[in-house]
Amino acid sequence: MTTILSVASECAPLVKTGGLADVAGALPGALAGEGCEMRTLLPGYRAVLARMDGAAEVARFDDLFGGPARLLFAQVGPLALYAIEAAHLYDREGGPYLDPQGRDWADNPERFAALAWVAAHIATHGAGDWRPEVVHGHDWQAGFTPEYMHAMGARVPFVMTIHNVAFHGNVEPGRIGSLGLDPWRFRQEHFEYWGQVSALKAGLTGADRITTVSRTYAHELLTDAFGMGMEGVLRARKGVLSGIVNGIDTDAWNPATDPALAATYSTPRGKAANTAALRAEFGLPDDAPGPLCVLVSRLSGQKGIDLLIEALPALLERGGQLALLGSGDPHLESLLKDYAATHPGVAVKIGYDEALSHRMMAGGEAILVPSRFEPCGLTQLYGLRYGTVPLVALTGGLADTVINASPAALARGVATGVQFFPIDALSLGNALAQLCDLYADPKTWATLQRNGMKQPVGWETSAAAYAALYAELVTG
Ligand code: ADP
Ligand code: GLC
């Protein structure tokens, strides 16, 4: 049994802003079948501590980045969870990263440095009688872990997973002291990044292995176009970088048993009742001749929402519709609301709603993911599982998980969706037109749906790949 400490800033179902939470929440369960015992370390946000009933105190710290703290352990559902109780860092209104006004917390560098420091402490001293043989950190929030491990003399390998290279966790060098970093290591080969202190770079330079969440993104990360300034660092570490695609929780996302649905189903035919219910829920006309497309997403530049708005006429002219659920960038939110107000085929709900996202996967006939970049992406995987044909940009995990309806793939009966490239409004519009043509041919459409529903989108293969990677590190 290999023991692994997973270090994350969010974890479903306790606290979630995006796919990282799903992955952190699913990995321990997926790995259990692979001879791995993964425990998870989280900041003790209110939502986390509220679920830590009967938690045991494992350690105490008099001064953890400005105040007293305790390390708690509890079994929360299937998760073996360590949480850092530190009121000065985590006991506040708002989200994990943003205050109630939507601004980054000013002390985010310290809040997540504390997460990394406690991870290093566990790596060095264990937690009670439990010791990790591998520490696995996610994104910049866990980035300083190998720095602190180095300082504490931990002798445990560190794996760094990049879910999104857009966020570096950079901070002025004036904070080196308050972050408890070694000023002698403020150097290019460690955590110095163009004159700044970079948490992500610390993780990437200090990791024994680097993974990201799809094979295509692992390649893209090395390019100027996608590396977001970390391409040089990553090229230097190319030999330890690999891509392991995300899975989804196929129990939580199962159209045959999903309690959120108007009607459960196990064949594409069963979707009709959900489609009708979704149109009614979004107030969309029920006599549209084209496909009901859905989109569920954070609203940020990454997600290509602006491209979609530009390309939408191609869908609407052919009688297609769009139902969109999302929240984020206020500018995109108001753009979408305005567009919906003037186009009867478009309906938008601004907010975050887990149950509605399930109803959308079931009721939608196509799922749109027009991202400019997408390390993996999960909603196209939900779409496949629900017989909801994905239309995606040809990038990252979207490239790896959808089989484009090219003439050859259609002829061989293996296509599962539509991909577009280059990633611009023109080719997205062409792809939407192609989607409508495919929809107009019921036999081909049903084949796409059935092929999608047969795709293996669970964690099995990827859990085995992580287990193999840990095993390699542990056996040296
Ligand atoms: P990212 O992590 O970049 O946001 P992913 O596709 O990996 O993208 O994961 C997003 C996750 O968040 C999915 O589980 C998706 O269903 C969920 N999600 C995003 N926005 C919403 C929303 N407004 N309501 C409900 N779920 C959402
Ligand atoms: C990030 C990426 C997304 C990925 C998720 C989980 O948020 O944007 O593509 O699926 O992490 O790995």
Side-chain angles (χ1 to χ4, degrees):
M1 193 59 104
T2 310
T3 53
I4 305 112
L5 180 69
S6 169
V7 187
S9 56
E10 52 182 276
C11 181
L14 302 169
V15 51
K16 166 167 167 175
T17 72
L20 165 59
D22 293 284
V23 174
L27 265 184
L31 284 162
E34 300 292 333
C36 295
E37 190 206 351
M38 174 174 273
R39 296 189 176 186
T40 306
L41 174 68
L42 288 176
Y45 312 117
R46 285 180 183 174
V48 171
L49 295 184
R51 300 286 291 273
M52 300 278 292
D53 271 351
E57 179 185 302
V58 191
R60 262 175 192 272
F61 310 107
D62 293 338
D63 181 7
L64 183 71
F65 296 83
R70 298 197 303 155
L71 180 62
L72 304 176
F73 177 76
Q75 187 71 35
V76 179
L79 297 170
L81 212 67
Y82 293 102
I84 307 164
E85 181 195 69
H88 60 295
L89 299 173
Y90 310 124
D91 183 17
R92 28 182 109 161
E93 293 290 333
Y97 318 118
L98 305 177
D99 70 15
Q101 283 73 47
R103 292 170 308 214
D104 282 317
W105 295 108
D107 59 349
N108 272 346
E110 287 76 15
R111 294 173 72 236
F112 295 108
L115 175 70
W117 189 92
V118 173
H121 181 89
I122 296 174
T124 314
H125 305 286
D129 54 8
W130 189 81
R131 273 177 179 275
E133 292 164 283
V134 179
V135 178
H136 185 165
H138 301 277
D139 276 350
W140 73 266
Q141 291 89 349
F144 288 130
T145 306
E147 279 302 314
Y148 300 128
M149 282 171 58
H150 176 83
M152 293 178 199
R155 307 181 72 85
V156 175
F158 179 73
V159 178
M160 179 81 196
T161 292
I162 303 174
H163 296 265
N164 196 330
V165 84
F167 304 103
H168 294 179
N170 289 351
V171 55
E172 294 301 322
R175 300 271 271 272
I176 286 178
S178 76
L179 292 172
L181 294 167
D182 178 353
W184 292 103
R185 288 168 65 87
F186 181 58
R187 296 150 63 125
Q188 217 193 330
E189 59 271 36
H190 300 301
F191 57 80
E192 187 270 347
Y193 177 80
W194 298 105
Q196 298 240 303
V197 171
S198 170
L200 180 62
K201 187 173 172 188
L204 297 178
T205 54
D208 297 280
R209 292 288 289 268
I210 301 169
T211 70
T212 189
V213 289
S214 68
R215 289 170 72 151
T216 294
Y217 195 58
H219 292 291
E220 288 174 340
L221 277 173
L222 303 175
T223 67
D224 297 351
F226 288 95
M228 305 239 171
M230 283 297 162
E231 58 275 7
V233 176
L234 284 161
R235 277 181 215 138
R237 305 236 54 207
K238 199 172 147 195
V240 298
L241 170 67
S242 62
I244 301 178
V245 75
N246 290 332
I248 59 170
D249 181 337
T250 48
D251 294 326
W253 293 94
N254 182 353
T257 58
D258 193 332
L261 307 195
T264 55
Y265 60 93
S266 44
T267 64
R269 225 178 267 236
K271 286 176 69 71
N274 293 290
T275 303
L278 191 66
R279 284 205 168 99
E281 185 167 2
F282 272 87
L284 286 165
D286 57 10
D287 54 357
L292 171 58
C293 299
V294 294
L295 190 156
V296 178
S297 182
R298 290 188 291 118
L299 300 179
S300 79
Q302 172 188 348
K303 301 296 181 178
I305 305 295
D306 51 323
L307 302 180
L308 180 61
I309 292 174
E310 217 182 313
L312 264 181
L315 175 71
L316 303 178
E317 277 160 16
R318 288 167 180 78
Q321 297 171 322
L322 173 68
L324 184 148
L325 168 65
S327 60
D329 181 346
H331 173 69
L332 286 172
E333 289 182 356
S334 69
L335 215 63
L336 284 166
K337 280 191 281 197
D338 291 350
Y339 197 92
T342 48
H343 295 80
V346 178
V348 168
K349 288 191 195 282
I350 299 299
Y352 188 94
D353 187 334
E354 190 75 30
L356 176 57
S357 74
H358 284 245
R359 294 197 293 278
M360 291 176 73
M361 287 307 150
E365 296 176 294
I367 166 98
L368 310 183
V369 195
S371 307
R372 288 196 164 83
F373 68 96
E374 196 61 78
C376 180
L378 299 178
T379 62
Q380 84 280 10
L381 300 177
Y382 305 151
L384 291 169
R385 177 107 171 118
Y386 279 63
T388 310
V389 175
L391 183 158
V392 303
L394 185 69
T395 185
L398 304 174
D400 296 359
T401 55
V402 174
I403 303 170
N404 184 39
S406 65
L410 285 172
R412 286 172 50 216
V414 296
T416 61
V418 175
Q419 292 174 325
F420 68 95
F421 190 84
I423 304 176
D424 59 27
L426 183 65
S427 80
L428 173 53
N430 291 339
L432 286 166
Q434 187 196 353
L435 185 84
C436 293
D437 290 345
L438 292 165
Y439 182 79
D441 174 0
K443 225 177 118 208
T444 306
W445 188 259
T447 307
L448 290 175
Q449 292 180 300
R450 277 197 307 270
N451 288 347
M453 291 178 88
K454 282 190 298 211
Q455 293 296 304
V457 290
W459 271 104
E460 291 77 9
T461 310
S462 297
Y466 279 115
L469 184 144
Y470 301 142
E472 247 178 78
L473 286 170
V474 170
T475 55

PDB file of all heavy atoms in Angstrom, residues 25 41 104 122 237 249 288 322 347 400:
ATOM      1  N   GLY A  25     -11.197  15.494  -5.442  1.00  0.00           N
ATOM      2  CA  GLY A  25     -12.205  14.716  -4.731  1.00  0.00           C
ATOM      3  C   GLY A  25     -12.289  13.270  -5.201  1.00  0.00           C
ATOM      4  O   GLY A  25     -12.620  12.373  -4.433  1.00  0.00           O
ATOM      5  N   LEU A  41      -4.955  17.021   2.031  1.00  0.00           N
ATOM      6  CA  LEU A  41      -4.760  18.175   2.918  1.00  0.00           C
ATOM      7  C   LEU A  41      -5.418  19.398   2.283  1.00  0.00           C
ATOM      8  O   LEU A  41      -5.134  19.742   1.131  1.00  0.00           O
ATOM      9  CB  LEU A  41      -3.265  18.449   3.116  1.00  0.00           C
ATOM     10  CG  LEU A  41      -2.922  19.727   3.905  1.00  0.00           C
ATOM     11  CD1 LEU A  41      -3.359  19.597   5.375  1.00  0.00           C
ATOM     12  CD2 LEU A  41      -1.419  20.031   3.823  1.00  0.00           C
ATOM     13  N   ASP A 104      -9.074  39.162  -5.251  1.00  0.00           N
ATOM     14  CA  ASP A 104      -8.169  38.206  -4.591  1.00  0.00           C
ATOM     15  C   ASP A 104      -7.944  38.638  -3.149  1.00  0.00           C
ATOM     16  O   ASP A 104      -7.741  39.821  -2.884  1.00  0.00           O
ATOM     17  CB  ASP A 104      -6.808  38.206  -5.303  1.00  0.00           C
ATOM     18  CG  ASP A 104      -6.839  37.411  -6.598  1.00  0.00           C
ATOM     19  OD1 ASP A 104      -7.418  36.319  -6.609  1.00  0.00           O
ATOM     20  OD2 ASP A 104      -6.283  37.910  -7.597  1.00  0.00           O
ATOM     21  N   ILE A 122       4.042  17.537   7.266  1.00  0.00           N
ATOM     22  CA  ILE A 122       3.545  16.151   7.280  1.00  0.00           C
ATOM     23  C   ILE A 122       4.536  15.230   6.559  1.00  0.00           C
ATOM     24  O   ILE A 122       4.800  14.109   6.994  1.00  0.00           O
ATOM     25  CB  ILE A 122       2.140  16.061   6.640  1.00  0.00           C
ATOM     26  CG1 ILE A 122       1.133  16.869   7.472  1.00  0.00           C
ATOM     27  CG2 ILE A 122       1.692  14.613   6.502  1.00  0.00           C
ATOM     28  CD1 ILE A 122      -0.267  16.959   6.850  1.00  0.00           C
ATOM     29  N   ARG A 237      12.395  20.902 -17.925  1.00  0.00           N
ATOM     30  CA  ARG A 237      11.991  19.750 -17.116  1.00  0.00           C
ATOM     31  C   ARG A 237      11.189  18.731 -17.927  1.00  0.00           C
ATOM     32  O   ARG A 237      10.439  17.903 -17.365  1.00  0.00           O
ATOM     33  CB  ARG A 237      11.166  20.247 -15.919  1.00  0.00           C
ATOM     34  CG  ARG A 237      11.887  21.296 -15.081  1.00  0.00           C
ATOM     35  CD  ARG A 237      12.012  20.913 -13.632  1.00  0.00           C
ATOM     36  NE  ARG A 237      12.614  19.633 -13.439  1.00  0.00           N
ATOM     37  CZ  ARG A 237      12.384  18.851 -12.377  1.00  0.00           C
ATOM     38  NH1 ARG A 237      11.568  19.245 -11.432  1.00  0.00           N
ATOM     39  NH2 ARG A 237      12.971  17.681 -12.261  1.00  0.00           N
ATOM     40  N   ASP A 249     -16.444  11.165 -12.227  1.00  0.00           N
ATOM     41  CA  ASP A 249     -17.100  10.234 -11.305  1.00  0.00           C
ATOM     42  C   ASP A 249     -18.328   9.661 -12.015  1.00  0.00           C
ATOM     43  O   ASP A 249     -19.356  10.326 -12.151  1.00  0.00           O
ATOM     44  CB  ASP A 249     -17.496  11.004 -10.040  1.00  0.00           C
ATOM     45  CG  ASP A 249     -18.177  10.115  -9.009  1.00  0.00           C
ATOM     46  OD1 ASP A 249     -18.723   9.059  -9.405  1.00  0.00           O
ATOM     47  OD2 ASP A 249     -18.174  10.484  -7.828  1.00  0.00           O
ATOM     48  N   ALA A 288     -38.223  24.236 -31.883  1.00  0.00           N
ATOM     49  CA  ALA A 288     -37.011  24.545 -32.644  1.00  0.00           C
ATOM     50  C   ALA A 288     -36.613  23.361 -33.517  1.00  0.00           C
ATOM     51  O   ALA A 288     -36.596  22.226 -33.047  1.00  0.00           O
ATOM     52  CB  ALA A 288     -35.879  24.888 -31.694  1.00  0.00           C
ATOM     53  N   LEU A 322     -29.525  27.777 -27.578  1.00  0.00           N
ATOM     54  CA  LEU A 322     -28.465  27.695 -26.565  1.00  0.00           C
ATOM     55  C   LEU A 322     -29.043  27.965 -25.175  1.00  0.00           C
ATOM     56  O   LEU A 322     -29.719  28.978 -24.961  1.00  0.00           O
ATOM     57  CB  LEU A 322     -27.366  28.730 -26.853  1.00  0.00           C
ATOM     58  CG  LEU A 322     -26.286  28.845 -25.762  1.00  0.00           C
ATOM     59  CD1 LEU A 322     -25.433  27.579 -25.694  1.00  0.00           C
ATOM     60  CD2 LEU A 322     -25.388  30.069 -25.981  1.00  0.00           C
ATOM     61  N   ALA A 347     -30.971  31.354 -23.952  1.00  0.00           N
ATOM     62  CA  ALA A 347     -31.371  31.600 -22.559  1.00  0.00           C
ATOM     63  C   ALA A 347     -30.162  31.398 -21.661  1.00  0.00           C
ATOM     64  O   ALA A 347     -29.377  30.469 -21.860  1.00  0.00           O
ATOM     65  CB  ALA A 347     -32.488  30.657 -22.156  1.00  0.00           C
ATOM     66  N   ASP A 400      -8.076  15.321 -26.874  1.00  0.00           N
ATOM     67  CA  ASP A 400      -7.801  13.922 -26.532  1.00  0.00           C
ATOM     68  C   ASP A 400      -9.048  13.092 -26.243  1.00  0.00           C
ATOM     69  O   ASP A 400      -8.980  11.860 -26.233  1.00  0.00           O
ATOM     70  CB  ASP A 400      -6.887  13.852 -25.294  1.00  0.00           C
ATOM     71  CG  ASP A 400      -5.522  14.467 -25.560  1.00  0.00           C
ATOM     72  OD1 ASP A 400      -5.285  14.915 -26.695  1.00  0.00           O
ATOM     73  OD2 ASP A 400      -4.696  14.504 -24.626  1.00  0.00           O
TER      74      ASP A 400
END
